[in-house]
Amino acid sequence: GAGVSQSPRYKVAKRGQDVALRCDPISGHVSLFWYQQALGQGPEFLTYFQNEAQLDKSGLPSDRFFAERPEGSVSTLKIQRTQQEDSAVYLCASSFGIYTGELFFGEGSRLTVL
Amino acid sequence: TQLLEQSPQFLSIQEGENLTVYCNSSSVFSSLQWYRQEPGEGPVLLVTVVTGGEVKKLKRLTFQFGDARKDSSLHITAAQPGDTGLYLCAGRLNAGNMLTFGGGTRLMVKP
């Protein structure tokens, strides 16, 4: 596609539910990043993929968070047993290069946990 | 404490005014980027600076990277309502590191 596509745009979950957020990066982009952005704050790094390999997951806040990119294209961020503090916008970004260059962001998935 | 501190956090000005926002750190960065984010959208890259002392201009926006590569500034001349948004600086400590974002400066330009 022309840009990074994320779905769903909005998700409301009850506390304790599992959620899955999808990211479809720009075709041919090697690098894929997930960031978490709380209201009024800057994005916080969660995890990084180079093709299908998850090279850095140091930003994942707990073992309830899991990300995958099995075929080196589409990625899914899964949050198990959601908590209220998980409420945030989850941004996906892709870039052509490895570690360098411009990041192209999707519009984000806004998660609200009640 | 964030690696990149941005100031001010909020800025509300009238159309036609000039402004400067700052991005500071005690760490040295190999490169630094500025992004702008509008409500409901993802951040969009404005500029990348890599050399200490570098100055880049993008129409009414002037970006400067500090000589020691620890800080950066964004100056907007004659601000317009279309400049309204969240301005984010983001840096890499070295070529192999992730992009770390500052907390952002929320700018509102009133007509």
Side-chain angles (χ1 to χ4, degrees), chain A residues 7-78:
Chain A
S7 62
R9 287 293 312 276
Y10 303 94
K11 175 69 178 179
V12 178
K14 291 183 179 179
R15 190 173 56 182
Q17 282 185 330
D18 298 348
V19 300
L21 308 177
R22 176 189 168 104
C23 173
D24 201 338
I26 294 172
S27 178
H29 277 195
V30 169
S31 298
L32 186 144
F33 304 81
W34 284 98
Y35 284 84
Q36 180 190 60
Q37 187 174 28
L39 189 63
Q41 302 295 317
E44 297 276 350
F45 170 77
L46 294 177
T47 188
Y48 163 68
F49 289 87
Q50 184 183 122
N51 296 308
E52 69 279 3
Q54 188 176 21
L55 298 188
D56 190 337
K57 54 182 181 179
S58 62
L60 296 177
S62 77
D63 58 8
R64 297 186 295 104
F65 287 71
F66 171 78
E68 61 182 4
R69 193 186 184 196
E71 298 179 358
S73 178
V74 171
S75 177
T76 303
L77 176 66
K78 297 178 180 178

Side-chain angles (χ1 to χ4, degrees), chain B residues 53-82:
Chain B
E54 182 175 5
V55 176
K56 282 193 173 179
K57 292 190 176 183
L58 184 65
K59 296 183 181 178
R60 295 175 294 101
L61 278 62
T62 301
F63 304 86
Q64 185 161 10
F65 201 13
D67 291 342
R69 292 186 286 124
K70 293 183 179 181
D71 54 82
S72 182
S73 64
L74 159 60
H75 182 78
I76 301 179
T77 303
Q80 299 177 0

